[in-house]
Structures are given as C-alpha cells and as structure tokens.
Amino acid sequence: MAFWVQTFLLVNLITSAVRGRVEKELSSECRQFLYMETPPTGLEHPSLRFICQRYNKRTRYLTLYNTVDHVPVYSAYTFKRSAGDKCVDVSWMYEPQLSMYSDTDEMQPFPRGYMHMDFEDAQAVLDDYTNAVLYERGTLNPEEHQDEPDDKASTYTLTNVVPMTPDFNNRVWNKQENIIRKRLNNYCRGTAYIVTGITTSGKMIRRENMNRVAVPKYIWSAYCCNDYDHNAPFSERYKFPSFAHYGLNEEEDNEVLEISVQQLKEFLKKTTFVEQNFRIFVGDCVPPGSSKNK
C-alpha cells in the first residue's frame, strides 16, 4: 500500500473518533477570531483539523493543526491590548479532542506516566521536545498579545507550538511580537485579527527513530485592523489597515522582514504548498472603496 494512502487512512482513523471542538467546518463560536469570520483559503489536506482552543469554559482562539506533522499550520486570534507581562506557573497542555478517548473539549495539563501514548499519534507531546537540543517550544499565539490570565494561559498548549531555534525565538521573533504589540496598542482602535503560521522545511524532530515533529523553515504573521488612528505618524500609518512579516527559523544572524499582506501571500505561494487561491484575509484586509484598492 502506498505511503500516502496509509497516511490518509491513519488520519481518518484518528479523526473519526475525535469529538467536540475539533471540526471540519468552523462553528460561529470559533469564527469570531477571524476577519469577516472567514479562515485563510487554499490550505487543504486530509491531515489538517481546525481546533477551537478552549480553556476554562471559553473558546480562546483558533488553530489549524496538522495531525501528521504534529504542528499547527497557523493560529488565528484577536489581539488584546496588554503591557506584555508574562504568565506564571502554567503547565504545558495537550488537546484531548485529538485523543481516541476524549471526554472533554478543553485543553488539559499533560498527565503523568504513559497516558500520552493514547494521543501522541495525532499530536506532539512533551517527550518530543525533551532531547531536541537545537529547538525549543515557540508559540504562534503568544501570551504577550493577550491580556487576561486565562487567555495567556491558553497559549501554553503544544497545539499552539512549533520548534524554533533558541536565538530566533528569544531574540528575533520575540522582538517582532513586541513591536506588533506596541503598534496595535497605540494605533489600532478596533479589533485586530492576527494569523501566525509556518512553512515547513522537510526537517523533523525524531524520537525513538521516528519522525515526530516538523521543523518550520519560515515563521510568518499578518494582522488586520480596519479601525485605526488616521492621525498616527506616517511611519506607522502606512502599516494599516494590515501588514505582515516573516523570518527564517535558523540559529544565525537573521532578522524579520516586514512586508504587505499581499507580498506575504505571494511569498508563501512560492515557498510552501498552498493552492493558487491562497488568501490570509478576505480582500487582503483592504476595505471596499479604500484608496489601497485603487
């Protein structure tokens, strides 16, 4: 039997038992985190599943998760104005909805012992990162972009995590997250919708001679805020209503490149497996009648 057929059958076996908020079609509850309640298009594969990330009885954000590569393709969330402070004493969590034996639709702290073997086929587990000395856990929806303690805590799930090199995660990408936080704090007057995702490299974190977690080549992010301060300095105003950035996930001197959403869309079409109708935001977040449409 061909490998891709085996993979397809495995994914369908796993997801046939999935319950709750892991869905093929998005509910209105989860669409609230998307501009125009519409997810990015042009990302289709049988191994991908939407996860409405729930914590403490509320949906916190949306993730499109790859159950074969064991990484999120993207996390989509609404930005919350914050001082950028850190959450404390939060245990890393997993997604019970990807388990064969789930009786809850909320993320849970990792259990002790070998219970993780019940769900590690469909998602990453802590053991995958234990000996991965070249990489650490980097969040796509960062707690720095959230304000309430529960919203911050909900970012600590491995379904929101990809392997990042320590220098890129702690210096390059974290610096850019801080820049975006300050920009949206100061100049976005309404809701800012953010989608942060990855392109894969072919590299994998291996455990016990098995490919376990895909390593991203690029990390990218885009925001959309149609209600913004039109009196902001031009150096910031031209980055509204939307802007984007990406960076190379390597342990070397590299920086993040800021570009338009349209430019990011074209870049991703050339560098990763997306369809020609790939789109991050409806209309690239350009309001009808805007001068940016002309």
Side-chain angles (χ1 to χ4, degrees):
M1 184 182 295
F3 174 75
W4 71 268
V5 176
Q6 291 177 314
T7 301
F8 180 83
L9 291 175
L10 173 62
V11 169
N12 277 282
L13 174 63
I14 292 168
T15 55
S16 65
V18 168
R19 304 168 24 162
R21 306 298 173 129
V22 174
E23 357 178 275
K24 290 183 179 180
E25 297 296 329
L26 283 175
S27 63
S28 58
E29 183 181 12
C30 222
R31 288 181 180 271
Q32 66 180 299
F33 305 107
L34 300 163
Y35 176 63
M36 301 289 287
E37 297 190 348
T38 305
T41 58
L43 294 164
E44 306 294 337
H45 195 275
S47 66
L48 303 183
R49 288 293 179 271
F50 288 118
I51 301 176
C52 283
Q53 302 274 20
R54 289 181 59 83
Y55 179 80
N56 200 11
K57 301 179 181 180
R58 277 184 50 196
T59 302
R60 307 290 170 171
Y61 57 101
L62 166 69
T63 295
L64 182 65
Y65 194 77
N66 190 320
T67 57
V68 172
D69 285 347
H70 303 140
V71 286
V73 175
Y74 65 75
S75 282
Y77 58 97
T78 50
F79 173 81
K80 312 298 192 306
R81 289 171 180 80
S82 78
D85 51 324
K86 296 288 185 180
C87 205
V88 294
D89 297 329
V90 178
S91 299
W92 284 101
M93 292 177 279
Y94 74 102
E95 182 50 69
Q97 300 172 80
L98 295 177
S99 167
M100 300 283 282
Y101 308 104
S102 172
D103 59 358
T104 179
D105 61 3
E106 293 198 1
M107 60 183 74
Q108 298 292 321
F110 274 93
R112 296 182 180 274
Y114 292 94
M115 280 185 63
H116 67 270
M117 295 179 68
D118 291 338
F119 51 79
E120 67 177 359
D121 281 344
Q123 62 186 297
V125 296
L126 291 174
D127 285 355
D128 292 322
Y129 287 88
T130 299
N131 297 314
V133 294
L134 298 179
Y135 305 102
E136 61 185 31
R137 291 163 287 204
T139 54
L140 298 188
N141 173 10
E143 63 171 319
E144 183 174 351
H145 288 184
Q146 303 298 327
D147 184 40
E148 295 297 325
D150 280 354
D151 285 337
K152 287 179 175 290
S154 72
T155 66
Y156 284 84
T157 170
L158 290 198
T159 51
N160 181 47
V161 160
V162 298
M164 293 188 194
T165 64
D167 181 68
F168 180 79
N169 186 31
N170 297 314
R171 181 181 65 83
V172 179
W173 197 249
N174 181 261
K175 177 182 176 182
Q176 186 65 23
E177 288 173 338
N178 190 44
I179 289 171
I180 299 303
R181 179 183 63 82
K182 291 180 178 179
R183 181 182 302 159
L184 296 179
N185 270 350
N186 291 333
Y187 304 115
C188 180
R189 297 293 178 250
T191 300
Y193 300 91
I194 299 181
V195 181
T196 301
I198 68 169
T199 75
T200 53
S201 62
K203 295 180 181 177
M204 299 286 293
I205 291 178
R206 292 177 61 83
R207 176 167 61 87
E208 297 176 356
N209 295 318
M210 293 185 296
N211 287 335
R212 283 291 303 162
V213 182
V215 176
K217 182 173 184 180
Y218 292 102
I219 314 294
W220 57 267
S221 185
Y223 65 80
C224 171
C225 172
N226 276 327
D227 182 6
Y228 62 94
D229 183 359
H230 290 261
N231 295 316
F234 178 75
S235 60
E236 296 293 337
R237 189 169 70 249
Y238 86 93
K239 297 173 182 175
F240 286 93
S242 65
F243 222 56
H245 56 272
Y246 71 88
L248 185 63
N249 181 32
E250 290 187 358
E251 192 74 1
E252 60 181 32
D253 253 353
N254 57 64
E255 299 298 332
V256 167
L257 179 64
E258 284 206 85
I259 55 177
S260 70
V261 169
Q262 295 92 329
Q263 289 172 319
L264 175 63
K265 181 176 68 176
E266 294 307 314
F267 171 77
L268 293 176
K269 284 182 179 180
K270 295 175 182 177
T271 55
T272 191
F273 299 105
V274 296
E275 298 176 10
Q276 281 304 304
N277 68 336
F278 174 69
R279 180 191 67 198
I280 301 171
F281 301 119
V282 173
D284 294 333
C285 185
V286 178
S290 167
S291 60
K292 292 194 176 185
N293 255 332
K294 300 173 182 177

